[in-house]
Amino acid sequence: MAAAGRDRVAHLLRQLQRAACQCPTHSHTYSQAPGLPASEKTDYAFEMAVSNIRYGAGVTKEVGMDLQNMGAKNVCLMTDKNLSQLPPVEVVMNSLKKNGINFKVYDKVRVEPTDTSFMEAAEFAKRGAYDAYVAVGGGSTIDTCKAANLYASSPDSDFLDYVNAPIGKGKPVTVTLKPLIAVPTTAGTGSETTGVAIFDYEHLKVKTGIASRALKPTLGIIDPLHTLHMPSRVVANSGFDVLCHALESYTALPYHMRSPCPLNPINRPAYQGSNPISDVWAIHALQIVAKYLKRAVRNPDDLEARSNMHLASTFAGIGFGNAGVHLCHGMSYPISGLVKTYKAKDYNVDHSLVPHGLSVVLTSPAVFTFTAPMFPERHLETARILGADIRTARARDAGPILADTLRALLQDLQVDDGLAALGYSRADVPALVRGTLPQERVTKLAPRPQSEEELSALFEASMKLY
């Protein structure tokens, strides 16, 4: 990076740091839902919802028995075109055949799904009248299967009924869904543990999603053998998603500072803010990432490293699935949605694509510089886990220390040098900010509120990292 560019980024980050009030209690009023008075009560409770999880090398072969035990007679197997030819899907199909399970395959899942691809999968599910689902793939496949299950179970609903506000109506899911078994083949999204399904809303060119505990899979089958089929950059980008899930859920606004307090527990959001149980999972996932991510990226045959990253993905999923994420994810959605011509290495797709984990991690140094003044001790703790020496660190140094630690990790793993390397420039910042503003479900969980000017500065500071 040229000296002038470095100086400008440093200036932006210093401005963002100085603007923060040091008192965490001042941040909670930002978490008001639109239109609510500032006196609205904050929540007093949190709850944990997670899928059943089964872990073991080769455990995928049990899926046919699981469906038999459920009494399933007509199963939908969802995957994508690439995976449909690979061993994970073959193992699932053999297990279904061996146990006499009637099934049909839907292999048209789009990597980084859209509202259109969700609706196409839902139409397939409606026509088939399936009594159970199996999703084999990464987050795109599992999320698509969740959406198909939802809309097939609620056939008269409009698509936007369940989509998060303000883009959709955000209605609570009151219908009963069919059993869904998720078999993740990447170590990143944690979608096998959560009730969240993310997609690109093409009309606005932004990512949004559906969030309800009703969507979470009945069972997540974590088979580390599947991770041996992941190319290096897929491992890296999936790992960055795990990293940011853990960092964001641990530094999110605490659950008792989030408002409004729901009048009925059915309206308590899936993303509730940091809480003592999610904290445990987030920290443990972060420790695994620190130990195994580089090994998993560099050696495709390192079963120990890839197995542990698979577990870390699930652990972080349990954490963020109940605590939530915040700015890295909120800002990532327009980064992916407004992609121009960028095509990531190791992704066999026919369209421009910024992988989700990459879109999330590139803003992380700027984001955590910005949020650190609210809870500096948590930011320092995460920096320590990732290898920083914090023995003489002061609270005001928490943001820069964590940011430098993250930059060093990204540079070591040869990650693209900021948003500029993806084709963005300062001219794109207003559109990126506009794409972030609707992401209130996550941005309002940041421990510190953000103005449009501050979001602009965060995007600008993320244009180049090194």
Side-chain angles (χ1 to χ4, degrees):
M1 187 191 302
R6 280 197 302 271
D7 290 345
R8 177 167 182 79
V9 169
H11 174 69
L12 287 166
L13 292 176
R14 279 196 300 272
Q15 281 187 314
L16 290 169
Q17 253 195 307
R18 280 199 297 266
C21 169
Q22 296 294 321
C23 173
T25 58
H26 286 173
S27 68
H28 78 87
T29 55
Y30 180 72
S31 62
Q32 308 295 342
L36 288 170
S39 61
E40 185 73 44
K41 288 182 179 179
T42 56
D43 210 338
Y44 65 95
F46 69 92
E47 60 184 89
M48 297 297 292
V50 65
S51 308
N52 291 329
I53 297 296
R54 183 182 302 149
Y55 174 87
V59 74
T60 305
K61 65 179 180 291
E62 296 182 356
V63 67
M65 289 181 277
D66 288 313
L67 291 163
Q68 195 177 65
N69 294 340
M70 292 174 184
K73 306 294 184 185
N74 183 30
V75 173
C76 175
L77 169 58
M78 286 202 173
T79 189
D80 64 45
K81 285 286 186 188
N82 293 328
L83 265 171
S84 65
Q85 309 300 319
L86 294 175
V89 171
E90 183 183 2
V91 172
V92 170
M93 291 173 61
N94 287 341
S95 180
L96 268 56
K97 292 171 184 174
K98 181 179 178 181
N99 289 278
I101 303 296
N102 180 54
F103 68 94
K104 288 185 180 177
V105 176
Y106 182 84
D107 64 0
K108 297 179 182 177
V109 168
R110 177 186 165 99
V111 178
E112 302 296 338
T114 64
D115 50 324
T116 301
S117 71
F118 266 17
M119 287 188 282
E120 288 172 352
E123 287 303 314
F124 181 88
K126 289 175 185 177
R127 290 195 301 271
Y130 301 106
D131 58 10
Y133 295 82
V134 180
V136 186
S140 296
T141 297
I142 298 172
D143 287 4
T144 299
C145 199
K146 290 174 185 176
N149 189 6
L150 171 62
Y151 290 106
S153 302
S154 184
D156 296 328
S157 295
D158 181 73
F159 180 75
L160 289 176
D161 282 351
Y162 298 119
V163 173
N164 298 325
I167 291 172
K169 298 176 184 176
K171 290 183 178 180
V173 177
T174 56
V175 295
T176 301
L177 275 63
K178 304 298 184 184
L180 191 165
I181 298 176
V183 186
T185 58
T186 62
T189 67
S191 185
E192 70 277 3
T193 70
T194 76
V196 177
I198 301 296
F199 65 94
D200 282 309
Y201 188 53
E202 293 172 296
H203 178 64
L204 296 178
K205 292 189 175 181
V206 294
K207 263 188 164 57
T208 184
I210 304 164
S212 169
R213 294 178 184 87
L215 265 66
K216 64 182 175 60
T218 312
L219 172 66
I221 291 182
I222 316 301
D223 188 339
L225 296 182
H226 298 329
T227 65
L228 300 178
H229 302 284
M230 284 197 294
S232 172
R233 298 324 298 176
V234 177
V235 175
N237 292 326
S238 300
F240 297 145
D241 202 17
V242 179
L243 170 68
C244 288
H245 284 157
L247 288 171
E248 291 172 72
S249 63
Y250 189 62
T251 59
L253 188 78
Y255 76 94
H256 55 80
M257 294 167 68
R258 177 189 50 76
S259 60
C261 180
L263 298 176
N264 186 313
I266 196 173
N267 294 320
R268 181 167 283 118
Y271 286 2
Q272 301 160 91
S274 62
N275 61 76
I277 301 178
S278 287
D279 286 351
V280 173
W281 293 102
I283 287 296
H284 191 49
L286 202 59
Q287 290 167 338
I288 296 173
V289 169
K291 183 174 181 179
Y292 288 109
L293 176 57
K294 291 181 184 178
R295 281 176 50 181
V297 172
R298 289 168 176 160
N299 184 358
D301 299 319
D302 190 337
L303 183 59
E304 179 188 358
R306 292 202 168 188
S307 297
N308 274 280
M309 284 303 300
H310 213 19
L311 272 178
S313 174
T314 298
F315 293 163
I318 296 169
F320 91 84
N322 294 281
V325 288
H326 56 81
L327 279 178
C328 294
H329 273 75
M331 294 169 66
S332 80
Y333 298 146
I335 294 170
S336 294
L338 296 172
V339 60
K340 300 173 184 179
T341 58
Y342 182 85
K343 287 188 179 180
K345 182 184 176 185
D346 288 346
Y347 288 79
N348 184 18
V349 294
D350 59 2
H351 54 276
S352 298
L353 171 71
V354 178
H356 174 62
L358 180 62
S359 71
V360 168
V361 82
L362 289 179
T363 61
S364 63
V367 162
F368 293 113
T369 300
F370 175 72
T371 58
M374 307 316 298
F375 299 107
E377 72 290 342
R378 287 191 169 231
H379 289 71
L380 283 173
E381 172 66 6
T382 58
R384 182 193 64 77
I385 292 170
L386 293 172
D389 184 353
I390 65 166
R391 287 174 294 181
T392 60
R394 296 165 297 184
R396 67 172 180 265
D397 299 326
I401 289 173
L402 179 53
D404 287 346
T405 304
L406 289 167
R407 278 193 206 93
L409 173 65
L410 299 184
Q411 192 162 24
D412 195 21
L413 289 175
Q414 300 179 317
V415 175
D416 296 274
D417 187 9
L419 300 181
L422 275 52
Y424 291 107
S425 69
R426 288 175 63 186
D428 297 304
V429 168
L432 292 167
V433 171
R434 284 195 300 273
T436 303
L437 294 176
Q439 310 301 333
E440 295 175 348
R441 181 180 63 94
V442 292
T443 57
K444 288 195 172 185
L445 284 173
R448 179 181 167 191
Q450 324 91 44
S451 65
E452 290 187 36
E453 292 75 17
E454 287 166 330
L455 287 172
S456 295
L458 288 171
F459 278 116
E460 195 172 330
S462 302
M463 285 294 164
K464 290 186 77 67
L465 298 181
Y466 315 128

mmCIF file of all heavy atoms in Angstrom, residues 174-213:
data_model
loop_
_atom_site.group_PDB
_atom_site.id
_atom_site.type_symbol
_atom_site.label_atom_id
_atom_site.label_comp_id
_atom_site.label_asym_id
_atom_site.label_seq_id
_atom_site.Cartn_x
_atom_site.Cartn_y
_atom_site.Cartn_z
ATOM 1 N N THR A 174 -45.061 -20.247 12.265
ATOM 2 C CA THR A 174 -45.954 -20.998 13.153
ATOM 3 C C THR A 174 -46.342 -22.357 12.577
ATOM 4 O O THR A 174 -46.961 -23.163 13.272
ATOM 5 C CB THR A 174 -47.224 -20.180 13.438
ATOM 6 O OG1 THR A 174 -47.841 -19.824 12.196
ATOM 7 C CG2 THR A 174 -46.888 -18.898 14.207
ATOM 8 N N VAL A 175 -45.966 -22.638 11.317
ATOM 9 C CA VAL A 175 -46.279 -23.936 10.724
ATOM 10 C C VAL A 175 -45.242 -24.967 11.186
ATOM 11 O O VAL A 175 -44.136 -24.615 11.606
ATOM 12 C CB VAL A 175 -46.287 -23.872 9.175
ATOM 13 C CG1 VAL A 175 -47.411 -22.961 8.701
ATOM 14 C CG2 VAL A 175 -44.943 -23.406 8.637
ATOM 15 N N THR A 176 -45.608 -26.229 11.109
ATOM 16 C CA THR A 176 -44.697 -27.306 11.465
ATOM 17 C C THR A 176 -43.940 -27.770 10.220
ATOM 18 O O THR A 176 -44.570 -28.116 9.203
ATOM 19 C CB THR A 176 -45.461 -28.492 12.076
ATOM 20 O OG1 THR A 176 -46.160 -28.034 13.243
ATOM 21 C CG2 THR A 176 -44.494 -29.611 12.472
ATOM 22 N N LEU A 177 -42.615 -27.762 10.288
ATOM 23 C CA LEU A 177 -41.798 -28.171 9.145
ATOM 24 C C LEU A 177 -41.508 -29.670 9.209
ATOM 25 O O LEU A 177 -41.641 -30.305 10.264
ATOM 26 C CB LEU A 177 -40.482 -27.389 9.107
ATOM 27 C CG LEU A 177 -40.534 -26.012 8.413
ATOM 28 C CD1 LEU A 177 -41.483 -25.062 9.138
ATOM 29 C CD2 LEU A 177 -39.152 -25.402 8.337
ATOM 30 N N LYS A 178 -41.082 -30.239 8.080
ATOM 31 C CA LYS A 178 -40.701 -31.643 8.018
ATOM 32 C C LYS A 178 -39.277 -31.823 8.565
ATOM 33 O O LYS A 178 -38.500 -30.874 8.597
ATOM 34 C CB LYS A 178 -40.755 -32.151 6.567
ATOM 35 C CG LYS A 178 -42.094 -31.954 5.883
ATOM 36 C CD LYS A 178 -43.214 -32.712 6.579
ATOM 37 C CE LYS A 178 -44.529 -32.565 5.805
ATOM 38 N NZ LYS A 178 -45.657 -33.207 6.523
ATOM 39 N N PRO A 179 -38.939 -33.034 8.973
ATOM 40 C CA PRO A 179 -37.569 -33.271 9.451
ATOM 41 C C PRO A 179 -36.543 -32.971 8.358
ATOM 42 O O PRO A 179 -36.770 -33.256 7.183
ATOM 43 C CB PRO A 179 -37.565 -34.771 9.803
ATOM 44 C CG PRO A 179 -39.001 -35.118 10.019
ATOM 45 C CD PRO A 179 -39.780 -34.241 9.089
ATOM 46 N N LEU A 180 -35.420 -32.374 8.753
ATOM 47 C CA LEU A 180 -34.335 -32.043 7.829
ATOM 48 C C LEU A 180 -33.026 -32.516 8.443
ATOM 49 O O LEU A 180 -32.695 -32.139 9.569
ATOM 50 C CB LEU A 180 -34.293 -30.532 7.569
ATOM 51 C CG LEU A 180 -33.404 -29.990 6.445
ATOM 52 C CD1 LEU A 180 -33.782 -28.547 6.127
ATOM 53 C CD2 LEU A 180 -31.917 -30.037 6.785
ATOM 54 N N ILE A 181 -32.296 -33.326 7.714
ATOM 55 C CA ILE A 181 -30.968 -33.767 8.141
ATOM 56 C C ILE A 181 -29.935 -33.027 7.303
ATOM 57 O O ILE A 181 -29.981 -33.070 6.072
ATOM 58 C CB ILE A 181 -30.800 -35.292 7.984
ATOM 59 C CG1 ILE A 181 -31.801 -36.029 8.869
ATOM 60 C CG2 ILE A 181 -29.373 -35.720 8.334
ATOM 61 C CD1 ILE A 181 -31.764 -37.546 8.710
ATOM 62 N N ALA A 182 -29.029 -32.334 7.961
ATOM 63 C CA ALA A 182 -27.996 -31.558 7.267
ATOM 64 C C ALA A 182 -26.663 -32.291 7.359
ATOM 65 O O ALA A 182 -26.247 -32.705 8.443
ATOM 66 C CB ALA A 182 -27.868 -30.173 7.878
ATOM 67 N N VAL A 183 -26.015 -32.448 6.199
ATOM 68 C CA VAL A 183 -24.696 -33.088 6.135
ATOM 69 C C VAL A 183 -23.726 -32.061 5.557
ATOM 70 O O VAL A 183 -23.540 -31.979 4.345
ATOM 71 C CB VAL A 183 -24.736 -34.359 5.263
ATOM 72 C CG1 VAL A 183 -23.393 -35.098 5.324
ATOM 73 C CG2 VAL A 183 -25.868 -35.295 5.696
ATOM 74 N N PRO A 184 -23.108 -31.226 6.404
ATOM 75 C CA PRO A 184 -22.217 -30.190 5.880
ATOM 76 C C PRO A 184 -20.928 -30.761 5.309
ATOM 77 O O PRO A 184 -20.332 -31.679 5.890
ATOM 78 C CB PRO A 184 -21.927 -29.325 7.117
ATOM 79 C CG PRO A 184 -22.127 -30.241 8.281
ATOM 80 C CD PRO A 184 -23.214 -31.185 7.867
ATOM 81 N N THR A 185 -20.522 -30.221 4.174
ATOM 82 C CA THR A 185 -19.275 -30.674 3.535
ATOM 83 C C THR A 185 -18.202 -29.593 3.573
ATOM 84 O O THR A 185 -17.109 -29.795 3.052
ATOM 85 C CB THR A 185 -19.542 -31.071 2.068
ATOM 86 O OG1 THR A 185 -20.092 -29.939 1.380
ATOM 87 C CG2 THR A 185 -20.514 -32.240 1.994
ATOM 88 N N THR A 186 -18.531 -28.435 4.142
ATOM 89 C CA THR A 186 -17.537 -27.388 4.357
ATOM 90 C C THR A 186 -17.463 -27.105 5.845
ATOM 91 O O THR A 186 -18.380 -27.449 6.602
ATOM 92 C CB THR A 186 -17.896 -26.090 3.609
ATOM 93 O OG1 THR A 186 -19.150 -25.599 4.115
ATOM 94 C CG2 THR A 186 -17.992 -26.330 2.118
ATOM 95 N N ALA A 187 -16.379 -26.483 6.260
ATOM 96 C CA ALA A 187 -16.190 -26.171 7.680
ATOM 97 C C ALA A 187 -16.258 -24.669 7.855
ATOM 98 O O ALA A 187 -15.245 -24.000 7.991
ATOM 99 C CB ALA A 187 -14.850 -26.728 8.166
ATOM 100 N N GLY A 188 -17.470 -24.119 7.804
ATOM 101 C CA GLY A 188 -17.574 -22.673 7.866
ATOM 102 C C GLY A 188 -18.888 -22.140 8.380
ATOM 103 O O GLY A 188 -18.958 -21.515 9.419
ATOM 104 N N THR A 189 -19.981 -22.398 7.676
ATOM 105 C CA THR A 189 -21.218 -21.672 7.942
ATOM 106 C C THR A 189 -21.858 -22.038 9.273
ATOM 107 O O THR A 189 -22.537 -21.211 9.876
ATOM 108 C CB THR A 189 -22.258 -21.924 6.830
ATOM 109 O OG1 THR A 189 -22.664 -23.290 6.871
ATOM 110 C CG2 THR A 189 -21.663 -21.594 5.469
ATOM 111 N N GLY A 190 -21.716 -23.281 9.714
ATOM 112 C CA GLY A 190 -22.425 -23.718 10.911
ATOM 113 C C GLY A 190 -23.923 -23.820 10.691
ATOM 114 O O GLY A 190 -24.702 -23.913 11.639
ATOM 115 N N SER A 191 -24.350 -23.819 9.419
ATOM 116 C CA SER A 191 -25.775 -23.799 9.107
ATOM 117 C C SER A 191 -26.503 -25.037 9.631
ATOM 118 O O SER A 191 -27.717 -25.001 9.835
ATOM 119 C CB SER A 191 -25.977 -23.678 7.589
ATOM 120 O OG SER A 191 -27.332 -23.549 7.262
ATOM 121 N N GLU A 192 -25.770 -26.121 9.864
ATOM 122 C CA GLU A 192 -26.393 -27.331 10.393
ATOM 123 C C GLU A 192 -26.917 -27.149 11.815
ATOM 124 O O GLU A 192 -27.672 -27.971 12.326
ATOM 125 C CB GLU A 192 -25.407 -28.507 10.340
ATOM 126 C CG GLU A 192 -24.239 -28.414 11.318
ATOM 127 C CD GLU A 192 -23.085 -27.568 10.813
ATOM 128 O OE1 GLU A 192 -23.186 -26.976 9.713
ATOM 129 O OE2 GLU A 192 -22.063 -27.507 11.525
ATOM 130 N N THR A 193 -26.513 -26.052 12.472
ATOM 131 C CA THR A 193 -26.916 -25.831 13.870
ATOM 132 C C THR A 193 -27.937 -24.712 14.032
ATOM 133 O O THR A 193 -28.456 -24.517 15.128
ATOM 134 C CB THR A 193 -25.694 -25.463 14.735
ATOM 135 O OG1 THR A 193 -25.239 -24.150 14.375
ATOM 136 C CG2 THR A 193 -24.571 -26.459 14.570
ATOM 137 N N THR A 194 -28.208 -23.944 12.972
ATOM 138 C CA THR A 194 -28.972 -22.709 13.137
ATOM 139 C C THR A 194 -30.308 -22.716 12.398
ATOM 140 O O THR A 194 -30.539 -23.518 11.497
ATOM 141 C CB THR A 194 -28.171 -21.485 12.631
ATOM 142 O OG1 THR A 194 -28.186 -21.470 11.197
ATOM 143 C CG2 THR A 194 -26.737 -21.502 13.138
ATOM 144 N N GLY A 195 -31.156 -21.765 12.775
ATOM 145 C CA GLY A 195 -32.430 -21.562 12.103
ATOM 146 C C GLY A 195 -32.391 -20.382 11.153
ATOM 147 O O GLY A 195 -33.373 -19.654 11.025
ATOM 148 N N VAL A 196 -31.267 -20.190 10.488
ATOM 149 C CA VAL A 196 -31.071 -19.044 9.593
ATOM 150 C C VAL A 196 -30.805 -19.538 8.178
ATOM 151 O O VAL A 196 -30.071 -20.508 7.979
ATOM 152 C CB VAL A 196 -29.898 -18.171 10.085
ATOM 153 C CG1 VAL A 196 -29.633 -17.022 9.125
ATOM 154 C CG2 VAL A 196 -30.187 -17.636 11.489
ATOM 155 N N ALA A 197 -31.400 -18.875 7.197
ATOM 156 C CA ALA A 197 -31.162 -19.172 5.780
ATOM 157 C C ALA A 197 -30.893 -17.856 5.063
ATOM 158 O O ALA A 197 -31.746 -16.956 5.059
ATOM 159 C CB ALA A 197 -32.364 -19.870 5.157
ATOM 160 N N ILE A 198 -29.721 -17.732 4.452
ATOM 161 C CA ILE A 198 -29.260 -16.477 3.853
ATOM 162 C C ILE A 198 -29.324 -16.563 2.327
ATOM 163 O O ILE A 198 -29.005 -17.600 1.747
ATOM 164 C CB ILE A 198 -27.811 -16.173 4.296
ATOM 165 C CG1 ILE A 198 -27.725 -16.069 5.819
ATOM 166 C CG2 ILE A 198 -27.291 -14.892 3.637
ATOM 167 C CD1 ILE A 198 -28.514 -14.931 6.420
ATOM 168 N N PHE A 199 -29.713 -15.457 1.691
ATOM 169 C CA PHE A 199 -29.789 -15.433 0.224
ATOM 170 C C PHE A 199 -29.576 -14.019 -0.286
ATOM 171 O O PHE A 199 -29.682 -13.037 0.466
ATOM 172 C CB PHE A 199 -31.132 -15.981 -0.262
ATOM 173 C CG PHE A 199 -32.321 -15.130 0.132
ATOM 174 C CD1 PHE A 199 -32.819 -14.154 -0.724
ATOM 175 C CD2 PHE A 199 -32.943 -15.301 1.366
ATOM 176 C CE1 PHE A 199 -33.905 -13.372 -0.369
ATOM 177 C CE2 PHE A 199 -34.030 -14.514 1.731
ATOM 178 C CZ PHE A 199 -34.514 -13.551 0.866
ATOM 179 N N ASP A 200 -29.288 -13.892 -1.585
ATOM 180 C CA ASP A 200 -29.201 -12.601 -2.261
ATOM 181 C C ASP A 200 -30.591 -12.213 -2.745
ATOM 182 O O ASP A 200 -31.225 -12.962 -3.506
ATOM 183 C CB ASP A 200 -28.263 -12.676 -3.472
ATOM 184 C CG ASP A 200 -26.800 -12.634 -3.091
ATOM 185 O OD1 ASP A 200 -26.425 -11.727 -2.337
ATOM 186 O OD2 ASP A 200 -26.043 -13.500 -3.558
ATOM 187 N N TYR A 201 -31.065 -11.049 -2.311
ATOM 188 C CA TYR A 201 -32.331 -10.516 -2.815
ATOM 189 C C TYR A 201 -32.011 -9.693 -4.054
ATOM 190 O O TYR A 201 -31.493 -8.582 -3.971
ATOM 191 C CB TYR A 201 -33.027 -9.681 -1.743
ATOM 192 C CG TYR A 201 -34.423 -9.245 -2.119
ATOM 193 C CD1 TYR A 201 -35.368 -10.173 -2.546
ATOM 194 C CD2 TYR A 201 -34.801 -7.912 -2.049
ATOM 195 C CE1 TYR A 201 -36.648 -9.787 -2.899
ATOM 196 C CE2 TYR A 201 -36.082 -7.510 -2.401
ATOM 197 C CZ TYR A 201 -37.003 -8.456 -2.826
ATOM 198 O OH TYR A 201 -38.275 -8.072 -3.181
ATOM 199 N N GLU A 202 -32.290 -10.275 -5.212
ATOM 200 C CA GLU A 202 -31.776 -9.734 -6.471
ATOM 201 C C GLU A 202 -32.300 -8.340 -6.796
ATOM 202 O O GLU A 202 -31.589 -7.514 -7.365
ATOM 203 C CB GLU A 202 -32.116 -10.707 -7.609
ATOM 204 C CG GLU A 202 -31.380 -12.037 -7.487
ATOM 205 C CD GLU A 202 -31.852 -13.068 -8.496
ATOM 206 O OE1 GLU A 202 -33.038 -13.466 -8.431
ATOM 207 O OE2 GLU A 202 -31.044 -13.471 -9.339
ATOM 208 N N HIS A 203 -33.528 -8.066 -6.411
ATOM 209 C CA HIS A 203 -34.126 -6.771 -6.745
ATOM 210 C C HIS A 203 -33.341 -5.614 -6.132
ATOM 211 O O HIS A 203 -33.152 -4.569 -6.762
ATOM 212 C CB HIS A 203 -35.580 -6.728 -6.266
ATOM 213 C CG HIS A 203 -36.269 -5.423 -6.506
ATOM 214 N ND1 HIS A 203 -36.506 -4.932 -7.769
ATOM 215 C CD2 HIS A 203 -36.754 -4.481 -5.638
ATOM 216 C CE1 HIS A 203 -37.124 -3.759 -7.677
ATOM 217 N NE2 HIS A 203 -37.270 -3.458 -6.395
ATOM 218 N N LEU A 204 -32.858 -5.794 -4.898
ATOM 219 C CA LEU A 204 -32.104 -4.739 -4.219
ATOM 220 C C LEU A 204 -30.595 -4.972 -4.237
ATOM 221 O O LEU A 204 -29.830 -4.133 -3.766
ATOM 222 C CB LEU A 204 -32.569 -4.624 -2.753
ATOM 223 C CG LEU A 204 -34.023 -4.199 -2.523
ATOM 224 C CD1 LEU A 204 -34.328 -4.177 -1.035
ATOM 225 C CD2 LEU A 204 -34.291 -2.839 -3.147
ATOM 226 N N LYS A 205 -30.178 -6.127 -4.774
ATOM 227 C CA LYS A 205 -28.759 -6.502 -4.804
ATOM 228 C C LYS A 205 -28.134 -6.479 -3.407
ATOM 229 O O LYS A 205 -27.044 -5.954 -3.197
ATOM 230 C CB LYS A 205 -27.973 -5.587 -5.756
ATOM 231 C CG LYS A 205 -28.334 -5.792 -7.218
ATOM 232 C CD LYS A 205 -27.385 -5.031 -8.133
ATOM 233 C CE LYS A 205 -27.674 -5.354 -9.599
ATOM 234 N NZ LYS A 205 -26.757 -4.642 -10.508
ATOM 235 N N VAL A 206 -28.866 -7.033 -2.456
ATOM 236 C CA VAL A 206 -28.332 -7.173 -1.098
ATOM 237 C C VAL A 206 -28.646 -8.571 -0.578
ATOM 238 O O VAL A 206 -29.586 -9.217 -1.041
ATOM 239 C CB VAL A 206 -28.931 -6.135 -0.117
ATOM 240 C CG1 VAL A 206 -28.515 -4.730 -0.480
ATOM 241 C CG2 VAL A 206 -30.444 -6.270 -0.011
ATOM 242 N N LYS A 207 -27.842 -9.004 0.375
ATOM 243 C CA LYS A 207 -28.133 -10.257 1.050
ATOM 244 C C LYS A 207 -29.088 -9.991 2.210
ATOM 245 O O LYS A 207 -28.998 -8.979 2.892
ATOM 246 C CB LYS A 207 -26.847 -10.891 1.581
ATOM 247 C CG LYS A 207 -26.250 -11.953 0.671
ATOM 248 C CD LYS A 207 -25.100 -12.649 1.359
ATOM 249 C CE LYS A 207 -24.746 -13.960 0.653
ATOM 250 N NZ LYS A 207 -24.408 -13.789 -0.746
ATOM 251 N N THR A 208 -29.993 -10.905 2.422
ATOM 252 C CA THR A 208 -30.858 -10.886 3.587
ATOM 253 C C THR A 208 -31.127 -12.344 3.950
ATOM 254 O O THR A 208 -30.364 -13.220 3.549
ATOM 255 C CB THR A 208 -32.144 -10.090 3.319
ATOM 256 O OG1 THR A 208 -32.922 -10.029 4.520
ATOM 257 C CG2 THR A 208 -32.975 -10.696 2.199
ATOM 258 N N GLY A 209 -32.160 -12.605 4.694
ATOM 259 C CA GLY A 209 -32.372 -13.996 5.084
ATOM 260 C C GLY A 209 -33.694 -14.204 5.789
ATOM 261 O O GLY A 209 -34.532 -13.309 5.915
ATOM 262 N N ILE A 210 -33.842 -15.428 6.240
ATOM 263 C CA ILE A 210 -34.986 -15.851 7.047
ATOM 264 C C ILE A 210 -34.396 -16.390 8.341
ATOM 265 O O ILE A 210 -33.439 -17.173 8.304
ATOM 266 C CB ILE A 210 -35.799 -16.951 6.325
ATOM 267 C CG1 ILE A 210 -36.232 -16.469 4.943
ATOM 268 C CG2 ILE A 210 -36.997 -17.385 7.155
ATOM 269 C CD1 ILE A 210 -36.700 -17.594 4.024
ATOM 270 N N ALA A 211 -34.940 -15.970 9.470
ATOM 271 C CA ALA A 211 -34.393 -16.396 10.753
ATOM 272 C C ALA A 211 -35.516 -16.841 11.673
ATOM 273 O O ALA A 211 -36.365 -16.038 12.065
ATOM 274 C CB ALA A 211 -33.587 -15.276 11.391
ATOM 275 N N SER A 212 -35.536 -18.125 11.982
ATOM 276 C CA SER A 212 -36.519 -18.672 12.907
ATOM 277 C C SER A 212 -35.990 -19.983 13.454
ATOM 278 O O SER A 212 -35.414 -20.794 12.713
ATOM 279 C CB SER A 212 -37.857 -18.916 12.195
ATOM 280 O OG SER A 212 -38.726 -19.682 13.016
ATOM 281 N N ARG A 213 -36.199 -20.204 14.739
ATOM 282 C CA ARG A 213 -35.762 -21.479 15.323
ATOM 283 C C ARG A 213 -36.451 -22.662 14.652
ATOM 284 O O ARG A 213 -35.929 -23.776 14.668
ATOM 285 C CB ARG A 213 -36.047 -21.487 16.827
ATOM 286 C CG ARG A 213 -35.215 -20.462 17.599
ATOM 287 C CD ARG A 213 -35.543 -20.453 19.094
ATOM 288 N NE ARG A 213 -34.797 -19.395 19.754
ATOM 289 C CZ ARG A 213 -35.205 -18.138 19.867
ATOM 290 N NH1 ARG A 213 -36.384 -17.790 19.359
ATOM 291 N NH2 ARG A 213 -34.468 -17.237 20.468
#
